[in-house]
Amino acid sequence: MKIEIGESLILSWLRHEKKCQLVQMNWKPSVESWELMNESVIEQIMRDSDDYFKHEYDYKIYKKNTSLSQLIKQAEIDVIGISYTGGLRNIYAVDIAFHEYGLNYGSKDETIMKIVKKLLRAAMCIYGYFDCSEGDIVFSSPKVNNNIIETLDVCLIQVEKILRKNKLNFNIKLIANNSFNKEILQPVLDATSSIADTSELFMRSIQMYKMFSENNDSSKLSTKISIKNNDALQNKTKIGEWVRKNLTQMFEENKISVEEVELMESIEYSKKIFGIQMPLLKKKLSIDEGKPSRYWAKPIIKAYDAEYFICSEWYEKTNKSHFEKWALLKNQPTH
């Protein structure tokens, strides 16, 4: 069975931070041999969620899953943990996605739909196979773009409301970016000095790293991770300055048409041509308008009787070659 490093991290987090006595990775239901309890309620949740997201967002979250049995057969939860304290049981169902350049299941809408479906299906499985109507259902990822988070946060509130309407009191949670580091990664790193379980692959890899580091305490490891992150930020700044300089010069030399500007305002074109996850240009709509998130305040491109903010999310490894190829074509002499 293939074990992802992210799943191993979550296993250690549930065992040592959430104090779960039982933890299983890659959980799947035994549909043929297990009884699905509370089936009528689960079917109602499926109908309610399908209707809501179709009406409000035009999302078809279940797509070809026309029946509950079909939906449940495809269920898999990355890590499930159960903790017992004072006779009380708490259950955790956690999915983790680690995409180095930011969470991406396709388009923004496809990404949100997939996460919503995962969380709803996890709730259905916990209620249907554990007969448990309370617990924590988590989607976690170390890097999620803000434009996804803004819409996803609203959608997850609605997921909780749909579950509450059907008498299920699950806490639906997204743990991403800084929260992922603070709530999941750092607690596990802090625990590595006192845990010696060879089955926990993430922790063992950290322990191996520490064997060859200058200092074996966890604060030294955290410092090195921070330095690495700062180096990445510096590389991002370098490519960003280079893009701004070249883009501004090309506008000044009238090498970019009004049609190209309109294309640069679309996320599809910007992703395809430049490899970035948001529109390259965003029009400034009023004099007093502040800069949008993930765009530079200055310089502002002035073109065709309008002003535009420039996207600030550029990375050396993933974006430079895209921009160079595009700029080369634009700078070729016309005949």
Side-chain angles (χ1 to χ4, degrees), residues 61-72:
I61 56 175
Y62 299 115
K63 292 187 176 179
K64 297 179 182 179
N65 298 127
T66 55
S67 67
L68 176 61
S69 60
Q70 219 177 9
L71 180 70
I72 296 297

Side-chain angles (χ1 to χ4, degrees), residues 291-325:
K291 80 169 190 68
S293 175
R294 295 178 180 256
Y295 286 80
W296 286 300
K298 294 179 181 180
I300 294 176
I301 295 292
K302 296 182 179 180
Y304 305 106
D305 300 319
E307 295 183 330
Y308 299 88
F309 296 103
I310 307 172
C311 174
S312 62
E313 293 296 297
W314 297 87
Y315 296 89
E316 192 84 22
K317 291 182 179 179
T318 54
N319 305 129
K320 187 174 183 180
S321 60
H322 287 78
F323 189 89
E324 283 179 333
K325 182 179 178 181

Side-chain angles (χ1 to χ4, degrees), residues 3-25 78-81 94 96 183-192 195-207:
I3 298 176
E4 299 287 350
I5 198 68
E7 293 167 2
S8 181
L9 167 62
I10 296 300
L11 178 142
S12 296
W13 178 64
L14 290 176
R15 290 191 69 187
H16 307 299
E17 179 68 12
K18 297 302 180 181
K19 313 301 182 187
C20 292
Q21 293 92 340
L22 297 175
V23 183
Q24 181 181 337
M25 292 189 292
D78 288 339
V79 194
I80 280 185
V94 186
I96 179 166
E183 296 182 35
I184 296 178
L185 181 59
Q186 290 303 324
V188 174
L189 292 177
D190 292 341
T192 55
I195 306 298
D197 189 336
T198 57
S199 69
E200 298 188 38
L201 298 184
F202 177 85
M203 296 187 78
R204 293 295 284 174
S205 67
I206 295 299
Q207 288 164 347

